[in-house]
Amino acid sequence: MENELKGMNRLPIVYQIYPRSFMDSNGDGIGDVNGIRSKLDYLKDLGIDMIWLTPIFISPQKDNGYDVADYRNIDPLFGTMEDVESLIQEAKERGIGIMFDMVLNHSSTEHEWFKKALTDQKYRDYYIFKDKPTNWVSKFGGNAWEYVEDLDAYYLHLFDKTQADLNWENEEVFEEIAGIVNFWLDKGITGLRFDVINLISKPDVYEDDYEGDGRRFYTDGPRVHEYLRKLNRATYGRREGIVTVGEMSSTSVEQGVRYAMKSSEELSTIFNFHHLKVDYKNNKKWEVQDVDFQMFKDLMKEWQDSMQEHDAHMSLFLNNHDQPRAVSRFADDKNYPYESATMLAGMMQLMRGMPYIYQGEEIGLPNAYFNDMKDYRDVESLNYYDILRETKSHEEAIEIVMDRSRDNSRTPIPWNHDVNYGFTEGTPWIGFSKYPNLQTVEDNLNNEKTVLKFYKALIKLRKESETIDKGSVEFILHEHPEIIAYHREYNGEQISVFCNFYGREVSLDLKEFKEASVILSNYDVKYIDEKDSLSPFEILCLRRV
């Protein structure tokens, strides 16, 4: 993995862009490829190595691009093929690779394959049609099967009914998929992010699930590893410098290790989400509870230890386009916005693995705080509001949606204090965060002590430190109720990270570190002498040799 990017002997730092909310170049209120191009120097200055773009393919946008209608063409919402080719080239000139988001578990029902499936048996076999449905539940709510009257049959959709699951058992489907991947690799992209890729292998027998929602039958299915090895051999595994990451829905640590092990020849890294479910009551997203901090620590230790044991790598992240903003979710964005954002950043990104920064994270962008359903655009949020209203009042339902909605991460980037925060000259497709005194990129660039400047220091440290990039990880103070801490070691150097996860001062004995040097702090700590506590949401990174 360390040598997968040409000319780079370390793990790349990836910056995720949700294109429709990043920067609009043509005034239609929707971010686009040329908007991204206009900010490449900003991203280079930040220090990242690769940009991951969520899908920009032609799509009816029922699920904001994760419902693909044409895998080989760019949706006019975002620009043209020429714009994308220019983006790839201009990013390359700045030492930045481009990672595409490949949605290969399902296609839009607007795809020509699905349209042909309604009249042509060949294309019907591209999807999963059954005469009798199971009782599986869609991940967006409701039944996972949709009835087609003309065929007197049901097709499977693990997500929205407009996202029909593809049949990977069909060799022709695989050849189509491999051709799509190679098409974009030929265009010059150097990264591939595979959406819900561990769901592509369905069971041999379809049966009702009387113990759950059906996911146990299709998660990490019987041939998924075979399919990924086959895709590797047919596409990215034949080329140098390609980074791959698989989004793993409800996987296990054992399976996660298997996907990412070098010897498996499947994927470079994986996304797992267990640590982002520690505020799910009864393990259900739309049932809210306080963050279970010990559970968070247990999960991080389990995954970090297991990946390390098998020389595999996981992705390091707390934010993405499907999650509420971490600074609002895990910390205190009202009373300690700077300290919260910087502590969470350092805590995750100094661990072992490949770090990801989601757009706006580098300026501490908080949740949307939309208190009116008219402000929401996310299909999942709109569906679940209706489901919640069956048993809850409007006030209770809207409070849960405010806490959980994917739109929390999809509000546009506030670049400056011009009209529409400099994002667009038109009407934004979704509103800006209603957080009071919203900080912009310009604020972060011009002020002395900002989240952005901390991120630059963090990225610089990670780039320069072999210990952080390649070193082992060992968790310490594991039972401490308020602190998460770990050592990184490599070639005789030890880097220790201490993080106070709470908004109160916590005692901490640092006597054994009195000879250590401070290499990163969000409280401007210069020396360890006399220090015997951590301030609210403090991160302290120490070096010993």
Side-chain angles (χ1 to χ4, degrees):
M1 176 61 200
E2 284 83 354
N3 295 312
E4 283 185 315
L5 281 186
K6 291 178 181 178
M8 184 179 294
N9 60 359
R10 59 174 173 78
L11 296 168
I13 299 165
V14 183
Y15 185 93
Q16 182 193 354
I17 288 180
Y18 193 69
R20 64 169 51 229
S21 296
F22 189 68
M23 182 64 194
D24 176 25
S25 70
N26 61 5
D28 66 356
I30 298 172
D32 48 44
V33 171
N34 286 334
I36 297 168
R37 288 172 62 193
S38 73
K39 298 298 182 181
L40 284 175
D41 286 337
Y42 164 75
L43 295 174
K44 179 183 179 182
D45 184 59
L46 179 60
I48 57 98
D49 303 303
M50 179 168 282
I51 295 169
W52 155 28
L53 301 180
T54 55
I56 55 175
F57 311 114
I58 288 178
S59 165
Q61 301 294 322
K62 297 290 187 182
D63 188 23
N64 287 332
Y66 283 89
D67 49 325
V68 181
D70 184 344
Y71 289 94
R72 293 175 186 249
N73 283 295
I74 304 302
D75 197 302
L77 274 176
F78 302 117
T80 66
M81 183 66 78
E82 291 73 21
D83 295 334
V84 171
E85 290 169 345
S86 295
L87 172 66
I88 293 169
Q89 181 59 36
E90 290 172 22
K92 181 180 179 181
E93 290 168 1
R94 292 165 173 81
I96 298 172
I98 299 294
M99 174 184 283
F100 263 24
D101 205 325
M102 309 303 292
V103 189
L104 304 177
N105 174 71
H106 48 263
S107 82
S108 168
T109 52
E110 293 297 310
H111 197 290
E112 66 172 350
W113 299 339
F114 191 84
K115 290 179 178 179
K116 290 179 178 179
L118 301 180
T119 58
D120 186 335
Q121 183 62 49
K122 171 187 172 179
Y123 287 97
R124 200 167 307 155
D125 288 341
Y126 274 38
Y127 296 91
I128 300 169
F129 281 88
K130 298 292 180 183
D131 294 335
K132 181 181 178 181
T134 64
N135 67 350
W136 298 356
V137 178
S138 161
K139 290 178 181 289
F140 285 173
N143 198 288
W145 298 88
E146 185 72 8
Y147 181 63
V148 180
E149 187 173 0
D150 289 348
L151 299 177
D152 190 25
Y154 300 79
Y155 67 85
L156 179 66
H157 61 91
L158 296 181
F159 294 88
D160 188 69
K161 66 181 181 181
T162 64
Q163 295 166 289
D165 279 54
L166 290 163
N167 177 20
W168 277 65
E169 295 285 338
N170 185 339
E171 182 64 27
E172 290 185 62
V173 170
F174 176 82
E175 292 300 325
E176 297 268 20
I177 287 169
I180 290 162
V181 173
N182 281 324
F183 174 83
W184 289 109
L185 290 173
D186 288 343
K187 290 284 185 183
I189 66 169
T190 53
L192 295 161
R193 185 263 190 187
F194 295 111
D195 185 63
V196 294
I197 197 66
N198 66 321
L199 307 185
I200 58 176
S201 176
K202 306 306 192 287
D204 295 327
V205 178
Y206 287 74
E207 55 186 303
D208 286 338
D209 187 353
Y210 297 108
E211 300 175 15
D213 57 10
R215 73 182 60 196
R216 65 192 178 98
F217 292 126
Y218 58 75
T219 301
D220 303 317
R223 299 182 65 189
V224 64
H225 295 286
E226 174 190 339
Y227 293 153
L228 284 174
R229 285 192 297 273
K230 187 176 178 182
L231 187 63
N232 182 316
R233 290 193 295 268
T235 60
Y236 52 88
R238 295 158 47 180
R239 308 175 189 236
E240 292 183 20
I242 307 302
V243 175
T244 57
V245 58
E247 181 193 29
M248 299 294 158
S249 175
S250 304
T251 195
S252 65
V253 65
E254 293 81 13
Q255 287 283 358
V257 164
R258 189 174 171 188
Y259 289 116
M261 285 171 54
K262 292 179 183 178
S263 58
S264 295
E265 296 185 337
E266 295 180 26
L267 298 166
S268 307
T269 57
I270 63 162
F271 284 111
N272 69 288
F273 298 93
H274 298 68
H275 63 296
L276 297 179
K277 298 180 181 180
V278 294
D279 54 356
Y280 287 15
K281 188 176 182 180
N282 301 318
N283 201 35
K284 295 180 179 178
K285 173 177 177 176
W286 296 93
E287 294 184 16
V288 180
Q289 68 174 20
D290 290 338
V291 171
D292 186 330
F293 181 48
Q294 189 58 50
M295 181 181 178
F296 178 86
K297 291 173 66 173
D298 290 344
L299 286 166
M300 293 312 303
K301 184 178 188 303
E302 178 185 20
W303 279 84
Q304 287 274 293
D305 287 352
S306 297
M307 287 283 169
Q308 176 172 252
E309 180 183 353
H310 296 279
D311 193 23
H313 287 287
M314 62 186 285
S315 300
L316 305 175
F317 72 104
L318 289 174
N319 294 274
N320 68 26
H321 63 288
D322 283 335
Q323 301 293 331
R325 292 283 181 176
V327 68
S328 303
R329 180 181 188 181
F330 291 106
D332 185 348
D333 65 0
K334 299 292 199 312
N335 298 302
Y336 297 97
Y338 170 80
E339 294 81 4
S340 295
T342 52
M343 181 279 290
L344 292 172
M347 177 194 70
M348 285 302 297
Q349 304 223 359
L350 295 173
M351 289 188 195
R352 184 181 179 279
M354 186 188 295
Y356 283 75
I357 301 166
Y358 178 63
Q359 64 179 46
E361 182 181 345
E362 78 277 16
I363 61 169
L365 194 61
N367 271 351
Y369 290 105
F370 293 160
N371 56 8
D372 189 327
M373 286 306 298
K374 293 178 181 177
D375 293 329
Y376 289 91
R377 303 290 181 267
D378 172 37
V379 60
E380 181 189 31
S381 302
L382 298 172
N383 286 350
Y384 266 96
Y385 172 79
D386 291 338
I387 293 170
L388 291 166
R389 285 291 283 120
E390 294 174 4
T391 57
K392 299 182 184 297
S393 69
H394 163 74
E395 290 75 18
E396 292 171 321
I398 196 76
E399 194 70 26
I400 293 172
V401 173
M402 284 176 64
D403 194 78
R404 288 289 188 256
S405 176
R406 300 190 299 180
D407 280 341
N408 281 313
S409 60
R410 298 177 179 184
T411 57
I413 298 298
W415 291 99
N416 53 49
H417 291 283
D418 293 345
V419 176
N420 293 324
Y421 289 101
F423 166 70
T424 182
E425 294 178 357
T427 301
W429 74 276
I430 191 173
F432 292 88
S433 171
K434 294 185 177 180
Y435 179 91
N437 192 29
L438 192 64
Q439 295 294 293
T440 69
V441 172
E442 186 176 68
D443 294 332
N444 272 258
L445 287 169
N446 293 339
N447 295 332
E448 185 174 341
K449 186 176 179 180
T450 66
V451 177
L452 180 61
K453 290 182 178 179
F454 182 90
Y455 263 88
K456 288 183 179 182
L458 177 62
I459 291 169
K460 183 174 184 289
L461 174 60
R462 181 159 189 117
K463 282 186 170 183
E464 293 176 351
S465 173
E466 285 192 304
T467 300
I468 294 170
D469 181 55
K470 298 182 173 67
S472 62
V473 63
E474 177 190 4
F475 284 82
I476 57 175
L477 303 176
H478 191 63
E479 303 303 320
H480 197 293
E482 293 152 318
I483 292 175
I484 182 168
Y486 52 89
H487 296 313
R488 303 295 310 279
E489 291 193 14
Y490 186 75
N491 280 354
E493 178 182 69
Q494 181 185 81
I495 290 177
S496 301
V497 181
F498 299 91
C499 301
N500 179 2
F501 211 78
Y502 290 90
R504 52 185 176 268
E505 188 167 342
V506 177
S507 297
L508 178 64
D509 184 358
L510 292 169
K511 290 189 183 69
E512 67 173 290
F513 294 91
K514 63 182 180 179
E515 303 299 326
S517 58
V518 179
I519 57 174
L520 192 69
S521 165
N522 62 351
Y523 272 83
D524 297 325
V525 174
K526 304 298 183 186
Y527 306 101
I528 292 302
D529 296 352
E530 307 296 324
K531 188 164 179 61
D532 58 4
S533 65
L534 291 181
S535 298
F537 300 108
E538 180 173 3
I539 180 172
L540 190 61
C541 185
L542 309 176
R543 176 180 179 270
R544 293 190 295 186
V545 290

